Amino acid sequence: MKLNVGRNELLGALSAVIGVVERRQTLPILSNFLLELQEDQLVVSGTDLEIELQARAQVENLTPGRATVPARKLYDICRGLPEGADLTLEVSGDKATLRSGRSRYSLACLKPDEFPAMGSLTDDIALTVPQHGLKILIERTQFAMAQQDVRYYLNGTLFEVSAERLRAVATDGHRLALSDLAADTGVAETQQIIVPRKAVLELQRLLDNTEEPVTLKIGGGQLQVDLDVIRLTTKLIDGRFPDYERVVPDNGDKRLEAPRETVRRALARTAILSNEKFRGVRLTLSTNKLVLQTHNPEHEEAEEELEVQYDGTPLEIGFNVNYLLDALGALVSDAFVMDLRNPDASGLIQAPEDGSSRYVVMPMRL
């Protein structure tokens, strides 16, 4: 295999795929890229057996073929070469030689036949949405995913596809994030899939804030996402996601409305003196007034008093301050509303006139 390629073109493909290659691997082949030369395109593949990433780069094809090369080493070499440099990559036997100007690098290769493939995907469902729409869905929900929870079905995001919308839901059992994207999916019956945490975060990294289309194909326990020259394929989590609609409160009789950024900054300041382990903040509500209070084992305290819109009965309730900060950070509106019922009931946070993104936070005793 032999090809000529610009450094920027090759680096773009390597950068798209490198995120799925773990630094420590049980199988040596998983620390390699698979390179496949097809006509005037080089296809770069990487996998961790759960997720497969592929990216294409325009090249000058001198001798077609397949090869594997050490992923991190090739990526670091290309990144360190001058901007706009021209490269020649030649693979012969178990050696790959990379040349650029007067520089030469020789890398050890493994047999390409050993590189694992994800297997073919049965295309049961296919839909197309704008890249920025899918990116926003992920950004507004991914922070609520669990991490290494024994309830494995929480270590990812639920994507629910119905006829007129794509919905993302994430929860770690203490808070829940939900966001909707209007889309003409063409799906007759509502379908649910759970996408693993790592695949969700890779998608967030790869998606652009553009109107360019992204195609999602679901089938055979896999999700395939096509973004122009990049393709992500991931296994899905086989489990039953909690009935999230039962968790979203709809009977709050007390409503707080306030400037989002003002409250977010006040929470960030009071969080400095919160208990580092429990991260609790007390919210005390009275007519048009909100008081935030935190304290820690060093007997340090913080208190912020804010003017808000509230005409319900007085209420004291505790929350994890990080959960409130995450929810307010995900909203983009100038103001937010928080529906409450009593100190033992979850709070619901959303924009005043837009329920497309909703955040449920469980209370905590302080």
Side-chain angles (χ1 to χ4, degrees):
M1 185 178 86
K2 186 175 181 181
L3 59 94
N4 292 332
V5 62
R7 175 260 189 190
N8 294 355
E9 286 75 13
L10 181 58
L11 184 60
L14 300 182
S15 299
V17 178
I18 193 68
V20 80
V21 180
E22 301 285 358
R23 290 185 181 272
R24 295 181 180 177
Q25 295 285 5
T26 53
L27 296 173
I29 194 70
L30 297 181
S31 62
N32 283 27
F33 286 136
L34 174 66
L35 306 181
E36 298 175 282
L37 201 48
Q38 302 170 355
E39 297 179 353
D40 62 345
Q41 288 193 332
L42 175 69
V43 180
V44 181
S45 302
T47 183
D48 64 359
L49 298 180
E50 298 295 323
I51 306 170
E52 180 183 80
L53 275 171
Q54 293 181 320
R56 299 191 299 274
Q58 290 290 120
V59 300
E60 182 186 357
N61 184 344
L62 301 178
T63 308
R66 301 169 78 237
T68 69
V69 293
R72 188 68 56 178
K73 292 174 182 176
L74 179 61
Y75 172 72
D76 287 342
I77 290 169
C78 287
R79 194 172 57 166
L81 289 170
E83 185 92 11
D86 291 321
L87 314 178
T88 298
L89 179 64
E90 183 174 6
V91 180
S92 179
D94 60 355
K95 288 290 182 183
T97 304
L98 182 71
R99 292 185 174 87
S100 179
R102 289 183 286 183
S103 303
R104 185 179 70 88
Y105 305 89
S106 180
L107 301 170
C109 300
L110 296 175
K111 294 179 181 178
D113 294 341
E114 296 178 6
F115 195 85
M118 286 288 289
S120 58
L121 179 138
T122 57
D123 188 358
D124 295 340
I125 300 174
L127 62 141
T128 301
V129 296
Q131 283 201 38
H132 83 279
L134 183 57
K135 187 178 180 71
I136 288 171
L137 266 192
I138 293 173
E139 288 177 342
R140 292 184 179 178
T141 55
Q142 55 81 21
F143 58 84
M145 290 187 292
Q147 191 168 1
Q148 297 181 329
D149 197 295
V150 293
R151 298 165 293 180
Y152 60 93
Y153 47 83
L154 299 184
N155 299 320
T157 293
L158 174 77
F159 285 91
E160 184 178 271
V161 186
S162 57
E164 297 179 348
R165 75 167 184 227
L166 176 62
R167 168 175 286 180
V169 186
T171 179
D172 60 8
H174 302 286
R175 37 99 178 259
L176 179 144
L178 178 155
S179 191
D180 289 335
L181 171 67
D184 183 10
T185 66
V187 175
E189 293 186 13
T190 300
Q191 303 280 342
Q192 292 186 342
I193 60 171
I194 307 175
V195 181
R197 177 186 179 87
K198 184 175 179 180
V200 172
L201 297 180
E202 279 298 314
L203 269 178
Q204 183 182 6
R205 179 178 72 89
L206 294 170
L207 290 164
D208 290 327
N209 287 311
T210 66
E211 290 285 343
E212 291 298 310
V214 53
T215 302
L216 290 78
K217 297 177 181 177
I218 304 164
Q222 294 183 3
L223 167 70
Q224 191 175 89
V225 185
D226 283 311
L227 308 86
D228 192 19
V229 297
I230 302 170
R231 170 179 288 175
L232 180 147
T233 306
T234 178
K235 292 180 180 178
L236 299 174
I237 295 176
D238 184 14
R240 186 172 179 82
F241 202 80
D243 184 359
Y244 66 87
E245 291 184 338
R246 291 181 56 191
V247 176
V248 180
D250 59 0
N251 54 355
D253 57 1
K254 302 174 180 64
R255 170 164 284 200
L256 155 71
E257 184 170 344
R260 182 184 63 86
E261 189 61 17
T262 299
V263 175
R264 192 192 66 79
R265 290 184 178 182
L267 284 167
R269 290 192 296 268
T270 55
I272 296 168
L273 298 185
S274 65
N275 186 308
E276 290 185 7
K277 183 178 180 181
F278 300 108
R279 305 295 286 168
V281 59
R282 176 180 284 107
L283 279 63
T284 303
L285 283 160
S286 56
T287 303
N288 294 333
K289 186 170 77 171
L290 169 64
V291 178
L292 307 174
Q293 295 172 304
T294 59
H295 63 274
N296 60 36
E298 287 76 44
H299 304 291
E300 297 170 326
E301 298 179 353
E303 182 176 305
E304 293 259 356
E305 184 175 315
L306 302 170
E307 188 175 324
V308 298
Q309 294 181 40
Y310 180 79
D311 59 4
T313 56
L315 175 68
E316 272 194 16
I317 187 168
F319 291 108
N320 181 308
V321 67
N322 289 350
Y323 296 170
L324 297 179
L325 286 169
D326 285 342
L328 293 179
L331 289 173
V332 293
S333 55
D334 292 334
F336 75 96
V337 294
M338 187 173 189
D339 293 325
L340 301 159
R341 193 167 77 249
N342 59 57
D344 299 317
S346 298
L348 176 64
I349 298 172
Q350 58 190 323
E353 305 297 332
D354 179 14
S356 62
S357 294
R358 288 171 279 169
Y359 303 95
V360 181
V361 184
M362 289 180 62
M364 63 186 297
R365 293 195 175 277
L366 298 177

